[in-house]
Amino acid sequence: MTDSYDRRTFMKTTAGVATGVALAGCTRGGESTQTTTDSGGDSANQEAPIPLSEYDADIDWKQFEGSQINIGAVQHPWVDAVKPAVPTFEELTGIDVEWNILPEQQFRTKRQTDVSTGAGQFDVFFMDQVVNQFRNEGWLQPLDPYFEDGSLYDEDWYAPDDLFEASKWQAHGGGYSDTWTGLPITVEVQTQFYRTDLYEKHGLEVAETLEEFRQNAQTIHENESDVVGTVGRGQKGYGMNIYVLNTFLRQNGAALWDSFPDDSGLDSQGVIDAANWYVSLLQEFGPQGASTQTWSDVLSTMQEGRAGHIVADANLFWPGLTGSDSSVADNVGIATVPKPADGQFSPNAYNWQISTSKNAKNSEAGFLFMLWATSEPTNTWMHLNNDAAFSVRQSVWENDEFRSRVGDEFAQVTLESLQAAAPDPFDRKYPEWGQRYSEELQRAIADQKSAEESMTQAAEIAQEIYSG
């Protein structure tokens, strides 16, 4: 497969398959050892919250009864949402679930050690932008043999076509793998958030184009004394500034890697135009120190009413912007990201997935957990009962009860954005050259060099990393 993303031709089948406090140590079942409100803490004594009839599939759920799986996870809302449902899985399968939940960077270090040494401690673990690095090193175990096993998988029940194409694509190594590298568990897609009160005050229309977004930012910036026109991620990091910029470069007709691994495409006109737009937007209408802003800085600035509008992750930002911690909760609107007047709507999206390694001791039992955790019944329950808003299943976003809970506007914008999403293809050295690319963009935002100079340098760096 190539690194280009095409929703119309993406394979739905492989081999016949349609397709802030650390939690120390391990926690068991559906409850954290730090939870003080449960009655006993052992999920074996808890009633299954989801009816087992929801899992009436042609799968031998009990084939690993009496075994135990170890899950390595980052501190993440998905963990909070799924853990209360784990007693259902344990009753359904007879498999005991043990959790290792760590802060993100600490988890990444432990995960790397686990797979690189062949320890195989984690039967299931969170996987992110390093998916193709791990795959290239031979650390990941493809899931396709499990999909082909009739005792482990029921296609009609699992309904893989309900998963967003962008999520399935990223679960195939972002186009670099012909096999499943894991199963997607959460998705974040780029949207725009705007202050409805300021838009009404200044007679602004929601931006459909990049130029309209810039004009709206200018109007607010010049007419509000304590509010900047916009704010965006300026901090270096492949999950920071370039995560936002990559939306705009694709909408300008550019791509990461015009020809992999010979031509990064970062010095193409589409990338330079996108970088020029983003850099000048933050320099002229953003806050002081825009080049050091992280995603959490963007969120807090908008929450505190100090920005007119932003482009950010719908599923990461919406709860914070509309919750009790937000001073503008009643004045936040959501819309699809703006695009160039002659460009293509292609919002970026990011998926966490869960995977297994070649040295894991209980990968088959782990696969049953992956299947259960990403299934429609579990996803629907999480999103109706546990304040989740990041499902990789279209049926959840179309669910009337869920839409009533999160708001029809948020659900519809997210659904439309996910259906059109064009996520980043994470090649095996993306963490390395992506970091350098982000550093160049940060220098441009800090006005240390022009956007064109930065992108030209980023292109040279990416190509040198592969040619070296």
Side-chain angles (χ1 to χ4, degrees), residues 125-384:
F125 52 82
F126 269 46
M127 177 51 57
D128 49 10
Q129 293 97 331
V130 297
V131 58
N132 282 303
Q133 176 192 351
F134 276 43
R135 188 180 61 84
N136 188 64
E137 293 290 344
W139 296 334
L140 287 186
Q141 185 171 168
L143 300 185
D144 296 65
Y146 303 138
F147 280 115
E148 296 164 11
D149 187 332
S151 71
L152 291 171
Y153 180 67
D154 180 346
E155 178 182 322
D156 291 337
W157 173 80
Y158 187 69
D161 287 342
D162 187 33
L163 298 170
F164 287 107
E165 289 294 313
S167 298
K168 287 190 288 187
W169 183 78
Q170 285 204 322
H172 283 77
Y176 287 96
S177 174
D178 289 330
T179 58
W180 290 86
T181 61
L183 288 179
I185 55 174
T186 69
V187 68
E188 300 165 16
V189 68
Q190 295 286 305
T191 58
Q192 63 171 309
F193 298 101
Y194 61 96
R195 288 274 301 278
T196 57
D197 54 336
L198 296 182
Y199 270 48
E200 182 178 352
K201 177 180 178 180
H202 299 291
L204 302 177
E205 298 290 334
V206 177
E208 295 183 3
T209 68
L210 297 185
E211 183 55 34
E212 290 169 353
F213 189 89
R214 179 184 176 84
Q215 290 172 354
N216 288 350
Q218 181 176 0
T219 297
I220 293 170
H221 197 81
E222 292 178 350
N223 291 281
E224 295 291 331
S225 59
D226 298 321
V227 180
V228 294
T230 192
V231 62
R233 302 178 197 191
Q235 179 64 272
K236 64 186 177 183
Y238 54 76
M240 289 295 175
N241 54 20
I242 60 173
Y243 176 58
V244 177
L245 181 66
N246 288 348
T247 286
F248 302 124
L249 70 84
R250 278 192 283 270
Q251 294 191 150
N252 271 285
L256 298 177
W257 296 105
D258 281 347
S259 175
F260 179 80
D262 305 312
D263 183 357
S264 71
L266 292 176
D267 54 356
S268 67
Q269 193 59 51
V271 174
I272 291 171
D273 288 346
N276 271 321
W277 180 84
Y278 191 58
V279 167
S280 64
L281 179 79
L282 294 182
Q283 287 177 345
E284 295 177 31
F285 310 122
Q288 295 243 340
S291 64
T292 64
Q293 299 282 292
T294 65
W295 71 263
S296 57
D297 296 322
V298 174
L299 175 59
S300 61
T301 300
M302 193 72 178
Q303 280 179 320
E304 294 164 7
R306 295 186 287 115
H309 58 193
I310 57 176
V311 168
D313 320 50
N315 319 87
L316 182 64
F317 277 59
W318 184 252
L321 292 177
T322 60
S324 59
D325 292 335
S326 176
S327 66
V328 295
D330 296 329
N331 294 301
V332 174
I334 184 172
T336 56
V337 293
K339 63 181 182 62
D342 57 351
Q344 178 181 352
F345 176 54
S346 301
N348 202 354
Y350 171 70
N351 292 262
W352 277 105
Q353 67 181 48
I354 43 179
S355 302
T356 188
S357 73
K358 289 189 175 179
N359 292 300
K361 299 174 179 62
N362 297 294
S363 290
E364 290 177 311
F367 177 75
L368 285 184
F369 177 84
M370 294 184 208
L371 211 65
W372 170 84
T374 60
S375 69
E376 182 276 324
T378 307
N379 256 247
T380 299
W381 185 89
M382 289 166 57
H383 285 75
L384 295 184

